[in-house]
Amino acid sequence: MKRFKQSKGFPAGFNPQQLSGCQQLLAALPYPAQLHWNEREVFACFDGWWLTSEFFPVASFYDAAPQRAHYAARLRIHGRFGQNLPANWLFALNYGESKTVSLLKLIRVLHLLNHLGRNDVALPLRIDLDPRICHAFSDRIIDFTTALLAQLGLASQQVMFLLFINQPTSELGVALVRRYREQGHLVGLGGFGDSGHDLSRLWRLEPDFVCLSPRFMRRAVMYPQVRDQLLALMPQLVAQGFALGVEEIVCDNMLAMAQQMQARYYAGQLVSQRLVPA
């Protein structure tokens, strides 16, 4: 693919010393990985698949105008012939333990390097953690992440984590929240509204912020009863100190509902369109 043709020079905005340091770090992994780059981004090849980072802005509203609050990272997986794979963590679970941990470390390096080179680094980066990986390997890369941030000159406050904790991984979720907090990171709970156990997990995890499930939000747009429940519950949680995030906002009705719920963080196609270009 033309996109993955490596350029001779370094991409604009990226630090060659940081790229070299991360190459050495990845070469020392049990399953070595290598970074590549073109004129605008860093990417990697893993087991025949090309991996890239994608970012979307998360905004807060001030004086009725949205302003960027932070960026959220997304992994994109590309085949040799241009096909795209859904970037869910089942991709990582196809491998043995050492290979999976190497892959997770590679993805974290990829996101952080691209954030430094492509985004406004005065704004934090949010990285999301899937419950299947929380259950298996997420705790294995916390110390690696701390060392990587120090190498890249990023403070822990510049990286936040959104955990998608389900009922089977609830106990491990508590431990993950504690460990990430010990390193100085903000921690959020994602997918709120997808489970009947959400409120109990909320009280146990005590996250810094909560992201409403997009599926729950779509149901609220369609069904007045669900909308009434949301508008009654979410302001109460906000009043108790939980910052609320609403994502995949694609219409004015969804935006208005998020504002009625007193959300702090907003994301989606409609919000991105209304942001002033960075």
Side-chain angles (χ1 to χ4, degrees), residues 135-149:
H135 179 72
F137 305 114
S138 275
D139 62 326
R140 298 279 301 277
I141 62 172
I142 294 176
D143 293 335
F144 172 85
T145 301
T146 301
L148 177 62
L149 290 175

Side-chain angles (χ1 to χ4, degrees), residues 121-143:
V121 294
L123 298 178
L125 175 66
R126 192 190 87 199
I127 297 175
D128 300 355
L129 302 180
D130 184 280
R132 289 161 293 194
I133 299 300
C134 288
H135 179 72
F137 305 114
S138 275
D139 62 326
R140 298 279 301 277
I141 62 172
I142 294 176
D143 293 335

Side-chain angles (χ1 to χ4, degrees), residues 232-273:
L233 173 62
M234 300 315 295
Q236 294 181 42
L237 297 181
V238 171
Q240 294 180 48
F242 298 107
L244 172 64
V246 180
E247 302 188 345
E248 297 188 19
I249 297 174
V250 297
C251 65
D252 287 314
N253 286 342
M254 296 178 75
L255 178 59
M257 194 185 311
Q259 291 174 323
Q260 284 181 274
M261 289 186 289
Q262 303 175 26
R264 181 181 301 179
Y265 301 123
Y266 302 75
Q269 182 180 6
L270 181 69
V271 177
S272 296
Q273 290 171 350

